[in-house]
Amino acid sequence: MYGKAFAPEYQGELGSALGVNSSYEEVLATASRAQSEAGTALERARAALAVAEANRRLGRVGDAGAAWRDSYRSARDAGDAGAMSWALWSGGTLARQCGTLPLARRLLGHAVELAAGSGDRLAHGYSLAGLAETGRIQGDYAAVAELHERLLEEGRAHGEARHMVWAMSGIAQMHRNTGDYAKALELFEESVRIATEADDARGRAWSLRGVADVLSVQGDPDRALALLAEAEAICRTMDLASALAYNHKMRANVQYRAGRYESARDTYALALAEFSDMHEPRGVALSRLGLTKSRARLGRDRAKTLVELDELERDFARIGLRHARDMAIAFREEVRERPAAERAGAAAETGADDTAKVTEVAEVAEPVEVPEASGMSRVPEAGGIPRVPEATERVEGTERAGLSEKAGVA
């Protein structure tokens, strides 16, 4: 059994003022007001956390980076390890969104340790979930599958629908990416049902996208597009900028699989522009791959296609997206082999029967939003309270997650 979905990242007085389905513009306005009026360090930490999450969901990564650091500093001043853990969870989630996966693992690993020491069960669960998602996005299923299952059981045990939806969708995504479409569809549809009954609109939108993905692979593009339209309406209502961009990318995936290459090209271009505006390199790279494949299907110059695929392979390797890198390599091999196949086909026209055309089943990899279970280093302690390590990593000239050296936590 489970109750209505709730949002534990809205804490203190914000917990009664905001809900899981509040639009993120509303969250930002309410939390910013609470931050300016905060009378204690802990109140400021809680308000800044909500500001960080609203800005992250709205795609404003610079503001989100500043807010989670402010939350961490305020929580440290208050001596509250649980609040510090929530701030690091927010920072790690932002780092993952921005494609800095090693930094995401590091921050989320520290969040797990702080939460365990503080006794904050929800912060501990959310931080572990963040680590699990990071590993899944990288394609390290062996390391994170068991953790997903454990988190699902914990969600069931405590009746937390939102966490059940997250874990179930993640498990479904792994089944989908390893070819077990029937199991993936069953889990995604169950996730939609739970999210609907628990009034978790965001979870419903993400789960609908998963159902649409599997239906498309199974050859039902029109039903998939209808579900994506329903999910898009939810994203727009809640101001879910990142989820909307991923929805558009999935729409392009569906169009591509259906052979509607011109529509796919245009939709990938839309998603690419949205991800670029948000400085989200993972989405940028995935959209570029889809755009490159669509243009190739429409007759783009072979040499230009191969150059782009080489660049994308390097980008996926740098970000750590194994599944996407494998698909870029596979498509590059297909492009290289195509001239020989075309020559063979032309020769066969002299009298041989036509052979069946091989259609492509592979698609552009879809991350669905833990750590590698090992290798989480401890945070150096100062006076018993950990400090956040500084980071100077950048993405395509943009500061990753607002975590540059000049903006490090002090």
Side-chain angles (χ1 to χ4, degrees), residues 88 244 250 282 356 362:
L88 291 178
L244 181 61
M250 180 57 72
R282 178 162 55 96

Side-chain angles (χ1 to χ4, degrees), residues 160-396:
E160 294 165 356
R162 188 178 176 197
H163 219 70
M164 291 169 62
V165 168
W166 170 85
M168 195 172 292
S169 295
I171 296 167
Q173 188 69 34
M174 287 186 282
H175 282 296
R176 178 258 176 272
N177 284 353
T178 53
D180 190 348
Y181 301 131
K183 185 63 176 179
L185 183 60
E186 174 188 339
L187 290 171
F188 275 129
E189 289 180 336
E190 177 69 3
S191 183
V192 170
R193 185 186 65 79
I194 293 172
T196 302
E197 294 179 357
D199 194 25
D200 176 8
R202 180 158 55 91
R204 177 176 170 80
W206 283 99
S207 301
L208 283 172
R209 194 187 60 169
V211 174
D213 182 23
V214 179
L215 290 176
S216 169
V217 172
Q218 293 180 328
D220 193 349
D222 292 332
R223 187 178 168 206
L225 291 172
L227 292 177
L228 288 170
E230 182 180 347
E232 178 172 348
I234 297 172
C235 293
R236 292 190 182 280
T237 298
M238 295 185 65
D239 305 312
L240 297 172
S242 180
L244 181 61
Y246 275 111
N247 180 289
H248 288 155
K249 192 185 76 64
M250 180 57 72
R251 176 175 290 276
N253 290 355
V254 172
Q255 292 165 336
Y256 180 90
R257 292 182 200 130
R260 305 170 189 176
Y261 299 126
E262 291 185 357
S263 296
R265 176 197 61 198
D266 295 344
T267 311
Y268 279 126
L270 170 62
L272 176 59
E274 292 171 329
F275 285 124
S276 298
D277 287 345
M278 289 184 287
H279 307 296
E280 189 166 337
R282 178 162 55 96
V284 166
L286 291 167
S287 298
R288 283 183 60 208
L289 175 58
L291 191 57
T292 295
K293 293 172 70 173
S294 299
R295 287 171 172 168
R297 296 295 186 202
L298 291 168
R300 190 175 190 223
D301 179 76
R302 177 171 167 271
K304 291 180 179 178
T305 297
L306 291 172
V307 168
E308 288 187 0
L309 290 170
D310 287 343
E311 292 175 353
L312 283 164
E313 182 191 348
R314 290 192 293 270
D315 285 345
F316 289 136
R318 174 179 54 78
I319 296 172
L321 300 176
R322 302 176 189 177
H323 188 56
R325 178 176 177 270
D326 289 345
M327 285 192 307
I329 292 172
F331 191 72
R332 183 178 60 201
E333 292 308 306
E334 179 184 339
V335 172
R336 284 175 173 168
E337 294 171 1
R338 194 174 300 158
E342 290 171 352
R343 287 194 298 271
E349 288 180 1
T350 59
D353 291 336
D354 289 340
T355 57
K357 181 180 180 181
V358 178
T359 58
E360 178 179 358
V361 178
E363 53 109 25
V364 177
E366 180 62 31
V368 187
E369 259 187 352
V370 225
E372 292 161 352
S374 60
M376 293 190 298
S377 60
R378 297 194 62 82
V379 189
E381 297 189 357
I385 297 178
R387 300 181 65 84
V388 179
E390 293 180 351
T392 58
E393 298 159 329
R394 292 174 176 267
V395 181
E396 300 176 348

Side-chain angles (χ1 to χ4, degrees), residues 9-11 14 18 23-35 43-74 83-95 97-98 107 162 202 239-242 278 401-403 409:
E9 63 268 35
Y10 306 148
Q11 300 167 5
L14 291 174
L18 300 168
S23 77
Y24 284 99
E25 290 290 1
E26 177 191 355
V27 172
L28 183 58
T30 303
S32 297
R33 186 164 55 251
Q35 187 177 16
E43 288 174 352
R44 182 175 179 84
R46 288 170 169 170
L49 173 66
V51 170
E53 284 303 288
N55 277 310
R56 182 178 69 81
R57 295 287 183 180
L58 291 165
R60 302 165 189 170
V61 298
D63 291 338
W68 84 256
R69 291 194 306 274
D70 186 14
S71 179
Y72 181 87
R73 284 191 294 263
S74 297
M84 292 164 65
S85 175
W86 277 110
L88 291 178
W89 164 79
S90 180
T93 304
L94 179 64
Q97 179 173 313
C98 290
L107 292 176
R162 188 178 176 197
R202 180 158 55 91
D239 305 312
L240 297 172
S242 180
M278 289 184 287
L403 296 169
V409 174

